[in-house]
């Protein structure tokens, strides 16, 4: 019934539509899309467009040109090409007329064997990357500039050739074409997950808008009728790789002839010497089995040794005297080869002279190096007279820990001075408060005199202002100064409480609402860029604990939430309350969130996702210790790209 309906629609379309031919620009030699067999163009795109031509009443004439020429032609209303098939990036349209999506594809990074895996666009920074001009990768990059060196090529195959010549480091290629080319270039491998998703579309110029509308209508009709699915299964079906059948037949034929010849020769030779070699064959089988057993043992040991080397967290390299890298486990190789490492004197580290010295003296060497905010330890040990092993270890965490210990020592000394500093700040603050109070009372007493003087001199001004306005400004200013002075005194008092030495016996009843309020005052500079919403329980939950330590926990959680949010739309929510599990504090943000692997590790000492900006990974581990000391529970609920909720539960102290 479905096919009868399709025939009726086809017949009515042929009767109503024009017979004007459509020239289809063909550029690909890649099965299963477009290629030529015995001088006849065929493939998924060509068969699909011919079927659309039957539905619309158009005769389809394939015309083969280069890809760049077709891209130029389709933008020229006077060209002899009406429509071509190209790939467009997802969510990015080309300027020309486009059909509905035909088939999905993607582009990945391709490198030589042995090169590092590319996880994201940032891994391409500084690399030479081959881009096919006019391809959907090229279209995508026009709106998404990247930090790599772009090398334009006319074909993806040109990029693969330049990769073998080491004139480029990476080729960004479309999946179907790359799969076709890889058997011809066995040293090239796929080095990333899909970086760009795209879809095949029929494309034409604005002159052919009506033609494109007909194509879309016919394409949708094919999808509804199921014929489109049959075409997809025919050319892209699971386990079926469409190839150039002509060349395949020739290869199979010559292979068959060669195999048949060798089989005949082997049969004659085997028959003539079978008796003499029977005993020898048994001996060889026994020897071969022993060798296979030895090879399996050696292979197992080799895999185990390789697994150990690959599992090391730092880079391991084997160099010869000519500074040629004979082997490496791939860790930190880019940093070693970059030449960006600096020694303790600030000079660029040179591997060659140190390598020669180690081989000449046969004594190992250790050097401390750094680059930006990261620190490295390099070890070189000789292996014989001509080779040396080099180990490069990232020691940034250890260096940061030493810095944190030194900073903690300095802060301990600074804490001893905080009381004196607070006293020195409080004295002038008190003077300001008392002076402003006297100033406000004096202004009230002077108002009658000011009114009387203004009656005598109607044009009298105070500081260039009308007396009424001047009195309002002075009154507002005195209130502002008094409020600011009292805020300074309140912050200094909070800071004194926060810096007071911690003692185990200092636990006492305290208000969770007050902990929130003090923590917000101490982090006012960080949270001022965000919208802050506080929901404090009217019952004022109370627990037994140390206010200073809990303020330290809250300050850490508030600062982490601020780091996770964008300043233009960040919302920080703080809440206190009680439920059947006890008194609680909740800190919510709408920041970047965390995956489950990160959530499981945030309480570990020295684990941090912000090491590149100086994070040490100690803040949340200290928070975990403090919460445990208060017999509390810490729950974390986080969703990537949506936000995080930190909930702290404590045993509630009943009101007296």
């Amino acid at each position: 019934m479905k096919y009868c309906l399709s025939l009726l629609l086809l017949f009515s379309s042929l009767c109503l539509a024009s017979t004007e031919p459509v020239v289809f620009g063909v550029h690909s030699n890649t099965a299963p899309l477009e290629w030529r067999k015995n001088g006849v163009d065929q493939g998924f795109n060509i068969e699909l467009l011919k079927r659309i031509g039957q539905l619309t009443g158009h005769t389809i004439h394939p015309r083969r040109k280069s890809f760049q020429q077709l891209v130029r032609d389709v933008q020229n209303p006077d060209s002899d090409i009406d429509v071509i098939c190209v790939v467009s990036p997802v969510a990015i349209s080309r300027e020309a007329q486009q059909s509905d999506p035909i088939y999905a594809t993607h582009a990945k990074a391709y490198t030589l064997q042995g090169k590092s895996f590319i996880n994201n666009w940032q891994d391409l920074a500084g690399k030479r990357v081959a881009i096919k001009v006019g391809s959907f990768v090229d279209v995508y990059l026009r709106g998404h500039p990247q930090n790599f060196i772009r090398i334009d090529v006319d074909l993806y195959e040109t990029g693969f050739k330049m990769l073998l010549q080491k004139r480029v480091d990476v080729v960004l290629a479309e999946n179907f074409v790359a799969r076709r080319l890889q058997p011809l270039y066995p040293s090239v491998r796929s080095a990333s997950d899909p970086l760009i998703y795209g879809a095949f579309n029929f494309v034409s110029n604005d002159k052919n808008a009506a033609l494109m509308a007909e194509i879309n209508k016919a394409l949708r009709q094919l999808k509804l009728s199921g014929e489109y699915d049959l075409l997809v299964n025919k050319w892209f079906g699971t386990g079926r790789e469409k190839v150039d059948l002509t060349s395949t037949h020739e290869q199979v034929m010559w292979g068959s002839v060669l195999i048949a010849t060798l089989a005949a020769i082997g049969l004659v030779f085997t028959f003539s010497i079978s008796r003499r070699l029977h005993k020898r064959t048994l001996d060889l089988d026994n020897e071969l089995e022993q060798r296979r057993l030895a090879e399996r043992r050696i292979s197992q040991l080799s895999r185990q040794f390789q697994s150990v080397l690959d599992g090391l967290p730092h880079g391991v390299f084997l160099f010869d005297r000519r500074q040629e890298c004979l082997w490496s486990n791939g860790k930190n190789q880019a940093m070693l080869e970059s030449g960006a490492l600096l020694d303790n004197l600030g000079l660029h580290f040179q591997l060659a002279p140190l390598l020669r010295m180690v081989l000449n003296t046969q004594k190992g060497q250790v050097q401390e190096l750094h680059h930006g905010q990261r620190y490295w330890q390099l070890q070189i040990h000789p292996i014989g007279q001509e080779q040396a092993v080099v180990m490069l270890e990232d020691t940034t965490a250890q260096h940061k820990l030493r810095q944190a210990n030194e900073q903690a020592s300095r802060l301990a000394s600074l804490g001893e001075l905080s009381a004196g500093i607070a006293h020195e700040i409080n004295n002038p603050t008190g003077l300001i408060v008392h002076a402003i109070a006297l100033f406000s009372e004096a202004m009230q007493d002077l108002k009658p005199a000011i009114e009387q003087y203004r009656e005598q001199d109607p044009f009298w001004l105070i500081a260039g202002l009308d007396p009424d306005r001047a009195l309002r400004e002075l009154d507002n200013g005195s209130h502002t100064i008094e409020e600011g002075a009292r805020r300074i005194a309140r912050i200094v008092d909070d800071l004194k409480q926060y810096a007071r030495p911690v003692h185990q016996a200092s636990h006492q009843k305290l208000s969770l609402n007050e902990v929130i309020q003090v923590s917000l005052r101490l982090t006012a500079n960080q949270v001022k860029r965000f919208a802050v919403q506080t929901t404090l329980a009217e019952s004022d939950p109370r627990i037994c604990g140390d206010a200073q330590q809990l303020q330290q926990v809250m300050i850490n959680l508030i600062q982490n939430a601020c780091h996770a949010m964008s300043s233009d739309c960040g919302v920080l929510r703080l809440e206190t309350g009680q439920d059947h599990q006890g008194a609680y504090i909740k800190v919510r943000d709408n920041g970047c969130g965390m995956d489950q692997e990160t959530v499981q590790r945030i309480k570990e000492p020295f684990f941090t996702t912000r090491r590149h900006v100086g994070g040490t990974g100690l803040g949340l581990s200290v928070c975990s210790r403090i919460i445990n000391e208060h017999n509390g529970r810490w729950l974390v609920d986080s969703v990537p790209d949506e936000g995080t909720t930190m909930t702290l539960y404590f045993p509630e102290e009943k009101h007296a």
Side-chain angles (χ1 to χ4, degrees):
M1 184 66 183
K2 182 189 298 183
Y3 293 108
C4 292
L5 179 61
S6 299
L7 290 173
L8 289 174
L9 291 173
L10 173 61
F11 179 77
S12 61
S13 299
L14 290 174
C15 293
L16 297 175
S18 67
T19 59
E20 182 180 356
V22 174
V23 179
F24 177 37
V26 179
H27 68 86
S28 174
N29 288 317
T30 304
L33 304 173
E34 307 154 1
W35 84 95
R36 180 171 290 175
K37 174 187 174 184
N38 297 329
V40 178
D41 286 304
Q42 61 176 327
F44 174 76
N45 290 338
I46 292 178
E47 184 169 346
L48 176 61
L49 191 59
K50 286 184 176 180
R51 185 68 186 90
I52 291 173
Q54 293 173 357
L55 292 176
T56 59
H58 292 287
T59 304
I60 306 302
H61 295 311
R63 184 161 301 169
R64 188 169 294 275
K65 293 186 179 183
S66 69
F67 177 76
Q68 283 73 22
Q69 182 61 51
L70 289 177
V71 172
R72 290 193 296 268
D73 283 350
V74 83
Q75 297 172 350
N76 181 10
D78 299 325
S79 70
D80 58 344
I81 299 299
D82 294 314
V83 62
I84 64 174
C85 185
V86 296
V87 183
S88 295
V90 173
I92 298 179
S93 299
R94 294 179 180 266
E95 296 178 358
Q97 293 283 330
Q98 280 192 197
S99 72
D100 293 344
I102 298 174
Y103 200 76
T105 184
H106 60 265
K108 300 192 293 185
Y110 292 85
T111 64
L112 294 176
Q113 296 282 356
K115 297 299 182 180
S116 301
F117 191 82
I118 295 171
N119 295 289
N120 48 49
W121 287 101
Q122 287 74 19
D123 289 349
L124 295 175
K127 298 184 183 297
R128 300 168 298 172
V129 181
I131 304 296
K132 179 180 174 182
V133 176
S135 66
F136 86 110
V137 179
D138 185 11
V139 174
Y140 176 85
L141 291 177
R142 295 174 192 170
H144 300 79
Q146 303 294 330
N147 189 20
F148 55 70
I149 302 170
R150 172 176 173 146
I151 306 297
D152 289 341
V153 297
D154 57 342
L155 298 170
Y156 288 126
E157 186 169 9
T158 305
F160 276 39
K161 291 178 180 178
M162 295 177 69
L163 192 62
L164 294 179
Q165 299 167 358
K166 297 185 177 180
R167 294 166 57 192
V168 297
D169 303 309
V170 179
V171 178
L172 291 184
E174 190 270 330
N175 176 51
F176 284 119
V177 180
R179 286 172 56 192
R180 176 77 169 180
L181 293 175
Q182 277 191 286
L184 306 178
Y185 301 91
S187 59
V188 176
R189 69 164 182 135
S190 169
S192 76
D193 293 328
L195 296 175
I196 309 172
Y197 291 93
F200 285 94
N201 302 84
F202 291 126
V203 176
S204 183
N205 53 51
D206 294 337
K207 180 188 72 175
N208 294 321
L211 172 62
M212 192 56 64
E214 293 183 50
I215 290 176
N216 275 333
K217 182 178 179 181
L219 183 59
R220 293 164 190 168
Q221 180 179 338
L222 290 174
K223 290 181 178 179
L224 291 174
S225 67
E227 290 187 65
Y228 170 82
D229 294 329
L230 295 177
L231 283 177
V232 169
N233 186 61
K234 173 182 178 181
W235 296 104
F236 299 102
T238 303
R240 301 176 63 186
E241 182 68 23
K242 303 303 177 181
V243 299
D244 187 338
L245 298 180
T246 302
S247 60
T248 302
H249 287 163
E250 293 177 355
Q251 294 173 4
V252 171
M253 181 187 69
W254 287 109
S256 300
V257 171
L258 178 60
I259 292 173
T261 303
L262 292 176
I265 295 174
L267 181 63
V268 174
F269 181 75
T270 302
F271 180 77
S272 64
I273 64 171
S274 60
R275 291 181 178 273
R276 291 178 296 168
L277 292 182
H278 179 68
K279 185 177 181 301
R280 180 59 178 166
T281 300
L282 295 177
D283 295 337
L284 289 176
D285 288 341
N286 186 33
E287 181 180 354
L288 181 61
E289 183 61 30
Q290 293 178 357
R291 289 187 178 182
R292 287 175 178 171
L293 180 60
E295 287 176 357
R296 285 197 295 268
R297 291 176 179 173
I298 294 173
S299 177
Q300 183 179 6
L301 289 174
S302 177
R303 288 195 300 271
Q304 292 174 347
F305 181 68
Q306 184 67 42
S307 178
V308 170
L309 292 176
D310 289 341
L312 291 176
H314 47 268
V316 181
F317 313 89
L318 184 64
F319 284 91
D320 61 13
R321 187 178 290 274
R322 296 175 297 177
Q323 200 185 348
E324 181 179 351
C325 183
L326 305 177
W327 179 90
S328 78
N329 66 350
K331 306 287 182 63
N332 301 333
Q333 186 171 0
M335 179 57 65
L336 182 65
E337 296 174 350
S338 66
L341 291 172
L342 305 177
D343 59 21
N344 291 332
L345 299 178
L347 302 176
H348 284 280
F349 169 71
Q350 299 292 330
L351 178 63
L354 189 60
L355 189 62
R356 285 195 298 269
M357 183 178 69
V358 169
L359 291 176
N360 292 336
T361 61
Q362 290 295 296
K363 293 182 179 179
Q365 294 288 330
V366 178
Q367 279 203 8
E368 299 293 334
L369 307 172
H370 66 276
H371 173 64
Q373 298 297 322
R374 300 178 66 184
Y375 295 85
W376 310 82
Q377 184 185 75
L378 182 112
Q379 300 183 42
I380 304 181
H381 301 282
I383 301 179
Q385 297 294 326
E386 298 297 326
Q387 295 180 357
V389 63
V390 177
M391 291 181 288
L392 184 62
E393 180 181 2
D394 188 343
T395 58
T396 304
Q398 295 90 322
H399 184 84
K400 296 293 185 182
L401 180 58
R402 288 196 298 270
Q403 286 184 332
N405 289 335
E406 294 172 0
Q407 185 179 8
S409 177
R410 291 193 298 270
L411 289 175
S413 300
L414 184 60
E416 298 176 2
L417 302 176
S418 61
I421 295 174
H423 179 73
E424 294 298 327
I425 294 176
N426 276 333
N427 283 342
T429 302
L431 293 176
I432 293 173
V433 172
H434 289 299
I436 287 300
L438 177 61
F439 177 75
S440 298
E441 292 177 2
M443 289 304 302
Q444 295 298 325
D445 294 338
L446 289 174
K447 283 183 178 180
I450 292 173
E451 291 294 334
Q452 184 176 1
Y453 188 80
R454 185 169 59 173
E455 291 177 359
Q456 298 175 6
D457 184 2
F459 301 102
W460 177 54
L461 300 177
I462 300 177
L465 299 174
D466 179 79
D468 289 337
R469 182 178 176 185
L471 287 175
R472 289 195 301 271
E473 293 293 336
L474 288 172
D475 190 49
N476 291 336
S478 64
H479 280 75
T480 301
I481 294 172
E482 182 178 6
E483 181 182 352
R486 294 189 182 280
R487 186 168 180 267
I488 291 173
R490 188 167 59 249
I491 292 175
V492 169
D493 185 61
D494 293 340
L495 188 59
K496 286 170 61 179
Q497 295 294 328
Y498 182 73
R500 182 177 299 165
V502 178
H503 300 286
Q504 185 66 28
S506 63
H507 284 201
Q508 55 186 337
K509 289 185 179 180
L510 57 88
S511 165
L512 292 185
N513 288 356
E514 186 175 347
V515 169
I516 293 290
Q517 292 166 347
V518 172
S519 301
L520 281 176
R521 288 199 294 268
L522 291 174
T523 57
N525 190 52
Q526 288 94 332
V527 302
K528 67 183 181 181
R529 299 179 294 116
F530 307 100
V532 180
Q533 301 175 1
T534 57
T535 306
L536 304 181
E538 295 182 0
S539 59
D540 192 9
R542 293 182 176 271
I543 67 170
C544 184
D546 186 284
Q548 174 191 346
Q549 288 185 319
L550 293 180
Q551 290 163 17
Q552 181 179 352
V553 171
M554 289 306 303
I555 289 171
N556 270 289
L557 297 184
I558 290 172
Q559 289 176 337
N560 281 0
C562 292
H563 291 153
M565 293 188 296
S566 173
S567 60
D568 56 347
C569 59
V571 179
L572 176 65
R573 297 179 175 88
L574 302 174
E575 178 184 349
T576 61
Q578 304 113 317
D579 59 20
H580 66 281
Q581 300 185 61
Y584 65 81
I585 296 176
K586 290 187 179 181
V587 180
R588 293 190 178 96
D589 66 70
N590 61 344
C592 60
M594 299 175 286
D595 55 31
Q596 287 304 310
E597 181 180 357
T598 303
V599 169
Q600 293 174 1
R601 299 191 61 192
I602 59 173
K603 302 175 186 178
E604 297 179 10
F606 311 116
F607 174 78
T608 178
T609 59
R610 302 183 68 253
R611 197 173 304 281
H612 61 286
V613 292
T616 63
L618 295 174
L620 294 184
S621 65
V622 172
C623 293
S624 179
R625 175 184 59 78
I626 294 174
I627 294 170
N628 291 334
E629 290 176 354
H630 285 74
N631 298 320
R633 293 187 302 115
W634 181 4
L635 307 180
V636 182
D637 182 16
S638 186
V639 178
D641 299 325
E642 293 186 12
T644 301
T645 300
M646 301 284 189
T647 306
L648 309 181
Y649 278 103
F650 301 98
E652 185 177 3
E653 282 288 319
K654 300 300 181 181
H655 293 284

